């Protein structure tokens, strides 16, 4: 079989923090134990098939820049087979345990729906063999309901019921493929579920239809015994101006309103949170406090560009803040850290794919080590606990228990006068946080 990454002759090794070898891990030591679990089990790294193997480097201003030997096979199915070989060679040499795909990443769209399904079935068999051979697993599958022109006005929120039906048929096969490959989750990213203008849109009807679509998916998963976790991935805009799954809070409220909360968790992506005007850790925290943080798309945006740049994560402080939330909730369960990130258009060497992932993995590995230290030393948790201690006794405990009234609280104020102003100590705590990095 052809070798696609001949420059990398052996799997990337952990060499420790003093290593100057850019093709080594300085922090990610897969089998090192942190609080009773290996690093690999904490982090559950995954590679995104679409960016790393289907991405061409094209943008709205210019054509592709990446020359990849797994392309140009002549026919689309042979190209898909070669791409699969290249992908599994890369996963093995990088040393990740998981990958994620859209149905149309793995197999090409055919001339008819039936042909698309046959293509997918063919590639699922090949992928299953690769998984068996390498031990690499599927973190999640999803369906591409945004690329083909038929989805120009959305999939489940399309004004045309025919398109709704098409999307449902496609998702049916994508869930079945995910199940066949032992996928641990299935993701719904809204793609083009949103609107451009209210002048031609019945927003209520579109949202009702989106909920109907999710209920149908839940029913179908049950009928075939798919037990993976369903995840919704919030994003506020792009491609549409108003995406319905705006952010974690919006999605939670949607799920609650439509009686879907029991069936879904969230897949939080860093660059989507920042597009929504939040920090990454804000959206992680909103999901986590609702018991709904299921998985993470690990990437980052650029403060100077207002769009979804999907860069590889390299901000240590951000990784520590994310890992604090993940550790506090006891891990991601069946989820993981999926690098939904792509090389810059000018990063044209094949080996850049390794550098990008190594950087992301080391950032989160170091983030994990530091977050565990912060938790063990308890500085921030003690501070926060004390900051709210007034709610644990006296009038505060009555508020907490819901055992008071406006009249009683007024009597308390009349007796106790003006509250003292207590410092939030933000700068001191930021300095302490920085001292851990
Ligand atoms: C798009 C995005 C998607 C989802 C999967 O911004 O993040 O790649 O992660 O459909
Ligand atoms: Co994503």
């Amino acid at each position: 079989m052809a070798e696609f990454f001949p420059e990398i002759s052996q799997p990337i090794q952990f060499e420790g923090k003093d290593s100057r070898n850019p093709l080594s891990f300085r922090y990610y030591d897969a089998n090192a134990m942190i609080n009773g679990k290996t690093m690999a089990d904490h982090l559950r790294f995954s590679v995104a098939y679409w960016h790393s193997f289907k991405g061409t480097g094209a943008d709205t201003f210019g054509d592709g820049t990446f020359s990849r030997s797994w392309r140009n096979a002549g026919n689309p199915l042979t190209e898909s087979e070669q791409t699969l070989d290249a992908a599994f060679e890369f996963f093995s040499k990088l040393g990740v345990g998981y990958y994620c795909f859209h149905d149309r990443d793995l197999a090409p769209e055919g001339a008819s729906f039936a042909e698309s399904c046959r293509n997918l079935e063919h590639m699922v068999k090949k992928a299953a063999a690769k998984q068996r051979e390498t031990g690499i697993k599927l973190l999640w599958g999803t369906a591409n309901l945004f690329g083909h022109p038929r989805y120009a006005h959305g999939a489940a929120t399309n004004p045309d019921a025919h398109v709704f039906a098409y999307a449902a048929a496609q998702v049916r096969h994508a869930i079945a493929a995910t199940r066949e490959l032992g996928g641990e989750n299935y993701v719904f990213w809204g793609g083009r579920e949103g609107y451009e203008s209210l002048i031609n849109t019945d927003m209520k009807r579109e949202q009702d239809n989106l909920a109907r679509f999710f209920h149908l998916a839940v029913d179908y998963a049950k009928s075939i015994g798919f037990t993976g976790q369903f995840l919704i991935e919030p994003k506020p805009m792009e491609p549409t101006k108003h995406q319905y799954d705006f952010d974690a809070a919006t999605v939670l409220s949607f799920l609650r309103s439509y009686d879907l909360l029991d069936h879904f968790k969230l897949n939080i992506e860093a660059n989507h949170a920042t597009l929504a005007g939040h920090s990454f850790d804000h959206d992680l925290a909103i999901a986590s406090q609702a018991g709904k943080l299921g998985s993470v798309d690990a990437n980052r945006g650029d403060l100077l560009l207002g769009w979804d740049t999907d860069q590889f994560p390299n901000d240590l402080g951000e990784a520590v803040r994310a890992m604090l939330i993940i550790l506090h909730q006891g891990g991601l369960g069946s989820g993981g850290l999926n690098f939904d990130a792509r090389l810059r258009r000018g990063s044209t060497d094949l080996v850049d794919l390794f550098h990008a992932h190594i950087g992301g993995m080391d950032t989160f590995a170091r983030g994990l080590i530091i977050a565990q230290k912060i938790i063990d030393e308890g500085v921030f948790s003690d501070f926060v606990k004390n900051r709210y201690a007034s709610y644990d006794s006296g009038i505060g405990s009555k508020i907490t228990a819901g055992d008071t009234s406006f009249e009683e609280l007024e009597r308390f104020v009349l007796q106790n006068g003006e509250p003292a102003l207590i410092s939030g100590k933000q700068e001191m705590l930021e300095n302490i946080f920085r001292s851990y990095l």
Side-chain angles (χ1 to χ4, degrees), residues 128-139:
K130 283 281 174 194
Q131 289 185 200
R132 273 194 303 275
E133 209 177 282
T134 59
I136 289 156
K137 298 185 202 151
L138 179 62
L139 186 65

Side-chain angles (χ1 to χ4, degrees), residues 102-115:
H102 299 88
D103 49 1
R104 300 298 180 253
D105 304 330
L106 197 64
E109 178 104 21
S112 64
F113 182 72
E115 188 182 324

Side-chain angles (χ1 to χ4, degrees), residues 34 62 93 110 152 188 190 295 298 312 370 395 404 411 417:
I34 306 260
K93 287 183 170 174
F188 295 85
S295 201
F312 279 83
I370 294 172
I395 194 70
T404 187
R411 280 196 298 280

